[in-house]
Amino acid sequence: MTETTVTPLMRPGEFCDQLTSVLRSGAQALLAQAIEAEVASFMACHAQEQLEDGRARLVRHGHLPEREIQTGIGAVKIRQPRVRDRAGKTRDRLLFLPTVAPKYMRRSKSLDALIPWLYLKGVSSGDFQAALSALLGADAPNLSGDTVLRLRKVWQAELSAFEKRDLAARNYVYIWADGVYFQAPMEQESQCILVIIGATPEGKKELVGFTDGYRESTQSWRELLLDLKARGLNTPPK
């Protein structure tokens, strides 16, 4: 008999999903095709460049070691082609740098967006690994509490740069101002965030500024608007 009624048990964090497996395989194949298209375009762009002895300056030279990129559907493996510049180590050395999967990329942008979302939802730094494993499976990236704390410092630096950026060159034809309420964990009252969005003459919406406010009070709005004005936003909407 070859049939069995035994059901294998999955380890914590693992799941068996044929659709996800198919999507991951398809994503891996498409990523490989995209990188190959990039290297082919790079080689074609410099096809006319030759050495003094008439040989082509650029040649394919195998692949870099296989690496994984963590995505929302799990880990996707890639092998980046190598391109050798036979002109040697000159100042104008030609390097192939893929844009679809940069050399030091370890996580997709969608996964990078998931991490601060979990943090804002109240997941503690020590519980991140369990949360990611539940969402992404056993191949979820390994994020220790220290890693999350380092990421938080990066987010704080990005926020500080956003709040200090010069607005003198910005021009908006329309501005929206509204209060958005969030229910933070362990808090009885919702947190109010005052948000200002501007529309450029080209029709693009941009986040102009935001801050936490007390129930959309006049004083809170005044402080936000004065801050934007102090940073150069003096042209009224037209």
Side-chain angles (χ1 to χ4, degrees):
M1 295 179 62
T2 58
E3 295 184 0
T4 178
T5 58
V6 177
T7 302
L9 297 177
M10 308 300 293
R11 290 181 298 177
E14 290 186 345
F15 57 85
C16 181
D17 184 351
Q18 292 184 350
L19 177 58
T20 300
S21 299
V22 171
L23 291 174
R24 187 184 299 123
S25 298
Q28 186 167 319
L30 288 174
L31 184 57
Q33 293 173 10
I35 295 176
E36 283 295 331
E38 275 197 298
V39 72
S41 177
F42 180 78
M43 297 289 290
C45 182
H46 300 283
Q48 302 301 321
E49 300 195 34
Q50 298 180 341
L51 302 178
E52 294 181 356
D53 58 6
R55 293 181 301 160
R57 178 176 176 177
L58 297 181
V59 292
R60 296 284 297 264
H61 191 58
H63 293 78
L64 293 173
E66 187 177 73
R67 62 188 175 97
E68 291 185 344
I69 296 179
Q70 298 292 342
T71 73
I73 55 174
V76 175
K77 297 180 180 180
I78 66 168
R79 294 186 67 204
Q80 178 181 322
R82 274 179 172 162
V83 176
R84 179 186 173 192
D85 185 353
R86 294 195 286 198
K89 296 182 179 180
T90 60
R91 287 190 301 176
D92 59 345
R93 184 182 179 189
L94 299 175
L95 296 175
F96 170 63
L97 301 174
T99 58
V100 66
K103 183 176 180 180
Y104 296 105
M105 185 179 188
R106 292 294 179 266
R107 297 188 300 268
S108 65
K109 291 184 178 180
S110 61
L111 191 55
D112 279 337
L114 173 63
I115 296 173
W117 182 83
L118 290 174
Y119 183 82
L120 291 175
K121 284 295 182 180
V123 177
S124 65
S125 57
D127 294 334
F128 257 73
Q129 189 58 47
L132 288 174
S133 295
L135 290 170
L136 306 177
D139 292 331
N142 184 19
L143 287 179
S144 64
D146 290 340
T147 301
V148 175
L149 292 177
R150 286 195 296 270
L151 288 172
R152 187 175 67 175
K153 291 181 180 180
V154 173
W155 303 333
Q156 290 173 336
E158 292 176 348
L159 173 61
S160 178
F162 177 83
E163 292 177 333
K164 295 178 181 178
R165 75 194 192 288
D166 186 9
L167 299 174
R170 307 311 300 158
N171 179 29
Y172 300 107
V173 297
Y174 196 87
I175 285 180
W176 292 268
D178 198 3
V180 182
Y181 289 83
F182 298 91
Q183 183 66 52
M186 307 301 292
E187 295 289 341
Q188 295 183 352
E189 295 187 1
S190 298
Q191 175 70 44
C192 178
I193 304 297
L194 307 182
V195 180
I196 294 181
I197 296 176
T200 67
E202 297 77 24
K204 179 182 177 182
K205 291 182 180 179
E206 294 181 349
L207 178 61
V208 182
F210 67 93
T211 187
D212 56 331
Y214 180 72
R215 297 182 179 275
E216 300 187 66
S217 67
T218 301
Q219 181 62 27
S220 297
W221 278 115
R222 176 181 173 83
E223 291 175 358
L224 175 57
L225 293 172
L226 287 176
D227 175 67
L228 298 179
K229 184 176 181 180
R231 289 191 280 126
L233 189 62
N234 296 312
T235 304
K238 297 180 180 179

